Amino acid sequence: MAKFVTEVKGVNNESIKLASDIIKGGGLVAFKTETVYGLGANAYDEAALAEIYQVKGRPSDNPLIVHLSRAAEVDRVARDISDTARLILNALMPGPITVVLNRKDDLPARVSGGRDSIAVRVPLDMGARIFISACGVPIAAPSANTSTRPSPTSAKHVVSDLNGKIPLILDGGECEVGLESTVVDVRGDEVILLRRGGVAVSEIESVIGRAVITDCVSKEVVSPGTKYRHYAPSVPLVVVGRGDRSAVERIVATNSAKAIPTVIMGTDNDLKDCQGLAADYYSLGADSAAAARRLFGAMRILEVKYGFIVAIRLSDEGLGASVNSRLDKAAAIM
Ligand code: TXA
Ligand code: MG
């Protein structure tokens, strides 16, 4: 049975007041950020944190990101912040990046799944920052999807996953980046990439003046038995290399023999190489930024209409590598 009548409200003074009252009372509010919608709670409130895990169906050892309205507040939740971490904080926050630091003891361990670290992010989205600031506490927020579903990039995606489970969604429109933040561990001497996302690795490298360690994240991508399923549409998705028309042809032929409705998804240019096959086509736009913006929404649209998605890998430039990592994860669970 539904626990709430979920309200969807535009971002204005009145809805921000309502949202901050809900947070202060121990409740959850979904809100737009520039990356994806988040499901927010008071980071100091153990019961509200437990509710996040319950509502999402998320394993309790998968840690949450704490959101702040200003980078200057990082010292409120983290300690022993290195010079390299400061460089990243100053240059890239607010923005679609999350840094893993040492957690201050007054924050509940539950927020980071029992770890002594804490992931911190300052969203670029003005509405998000006004909301967080109105709450007066750091806001713990995972993406506002049901665990294993693609992350929500519009309020209607949140409704589709969480209707009746939370009291309020602050509808700020469509997310501009469309992929979750890049996560880096900045506790040690090296900057270690934990998740690709809205900030390209090359951007971080130009800020710190040296290479980011990417071994951990690429290992995760090659091993399909990752601990948590992610980003997955409800129908099979296969990733093919750019320009590999013959691979696409083979898959389409096999599927049409079995009468499985198939769609080929890729950027405009890559789709041109695959024209004339017995399948439908879905464009992710002209470049990697457009593809990042559209990817999760596309998965939610296409899984309803088709029985099979063939995704053409993007070039690794710009946000291409981040988009590809999501495609690999969506494919890995088959
Ligand atoms: O863009 C985003 O990051 C969005 C918006 C809402 O801010 N949030 C988001 O949260 O994607 P979530 O919970 O879906 O993903 C958080 C990621 C997970 O991969 C989690 O394992 C990692 O960050 N993470 C969080 N805290 C961590 C920690 N202390 N150490 C290592 N990884 C951590
Ligand atoms: Mg998530």
Side-chain angles (χ1 to χ4, degrees):
M1 223 187 54
K3 195 168 166 189
F4 296 100
V5 176
T6 303
E7 288 196 277
V8 181
K9 289 187 180 286
V11 184
N12 53 44
N13 288 344
E14 197 188 316
S15 64
I16 294 279
K17 168 80 170 70
L18 176 62
S20 60
D21 285 346
I22 292 172
I23 295 289
K24 288 170 195 162
L28 308 186
V29 173
F31 62 103
K32 184 209 158 206
T33 80
E34 75 281 12
T35 57
V36 301
Y37 274 71
L39 177 61
N42 176 355
Y44 291 109
D45 185 333
E46 294 257 9
L49 297 175
E51 173 94 354
I52 286 185
Y53 286 98
Q54 214 238 323
V55 162
K56 274 183 68 84
R58 180 183 180 113
S60 62
D61 62 341
N62 193 1
L64 305 174
I65 297 173
V66 165
H67 295 67
L68 305 171
S69 61
R70 296 182 310 132
E73 288 185 356
V74 169
D75 299 272
R76 208 173 148 183
V77 293
R79 58 179 168 77
D80 313 325
I81 303 171
S82 68
D83 291 345
T84 307
R86 295 271 178 211
L87 273 180
I88 294 177
L89 289 171
N90 292 336
L92 299 173
M93 285 191 172
I97 187 164
T98 295
V99 290
V100 172
L101 296 162
N102 295 302
R103 179 168 51 82
K104 279 215 167 141
D105 290 338
D106 57 342
L107 270 179
R110 189 196 283 271
V111 76
S112 38
R115 291 169 180 72
D116 54 13
S117 58
I118 185 77
V120 185
R121 166 159 141 72
V122 182
L124 194 56
D125 187 275
M126 216 13 125
R129 280 193 274 153
I130 292 171
F131 159 64
I132 297 163
S133 164
C135 294
V137 286
I139 296 294
S143 49
N145 51 303
T146 303
S147 201
T148 80
R149 297 282 297 143
S151 291
T153 54
S154 74
K156 80 172 188 282
H157 297 157
V158 182
V159 171
S160 138
D161 280 16
L162 303 182
N163 194 28
K165 297 184 171 173
I166 57 173
L168 178 65
I169 300 168
L170 289 175
D171 182 354
E174 306 245 330
C175 300
E176 295 82 1
V177 176
L179 290 184
E180 303 89 341
S181 60
T182 301
V183 183
V184 282
D185 187 338
V186 292
R187 284 173 298 169
D189 293 335
E190 303 288 356
V191 173
I192 301 168
L193 181 67
L194 299 180
R195 176 177 75 181
R196 291 188 193 275
V199 170
V201 169
S202 57
E203 248 183 283
I204 303 170
E205 291 178 332
S206 61
V207 167
I208 60 174
R210 58 202 161 87
V212 168
I213 310 291
T214 56
D215 296 8
C216 299
V217 76
S218 39
K219 252 184 231 138
E220 191 189 55
V221 170
V222 282
S223 111
T226 42
K227 197 167 168 202
Y228 303 116
R229 301 167 70 205
H230 257 306
Y231 320 118
S234 59
V235 300
L237 180 148
V238 151
V239 190
V240 298
R242 298 174 73 218
D244 193 352
R245 182 186 163 97
S246 62
V248 181
E249 263 185 82
R250 270 197 310 278
I251 298 165
V252 169
T254 311
N255 284 352
S256 64
K258 295 188 205 155
I260 300 171
T262 300
V263 61
I264 306 167
M265 175 175 87
T267 59
D268 294 335
N269 268 334
D270 292 340
L271 286 181
K272 278 190 200 134
D273 297 335
C274 291
Q275 270 167 5
L277 302 178
D280 285 349
Y281 296 84
Y282 189 92
S283 169
L284 289 176
D287 54 30
S288 62
R293 211 158 39 238
R294 291 188 193 173
L295 179 70
F296 288 140
M299 286 181 183
R300 286 178 183 260
I301 292 170
L302 299 178
E303 68 181 7
V304 179
K305 283 182 75 180
Y306 298 95
F308 201 104
I309 303 170
V310 182
I312 305 173
R313 186 178 294 282
L314 272 67
S315 131
D316 273 335
E317 279 156 54
L319 292 187
S322 302
V323 172
N324 289 338
S325 78
R326 302 309 189 264
L327 292 175
D328 286 328
K329 285 217 169 186
I333 61 127
M334 281 185 55

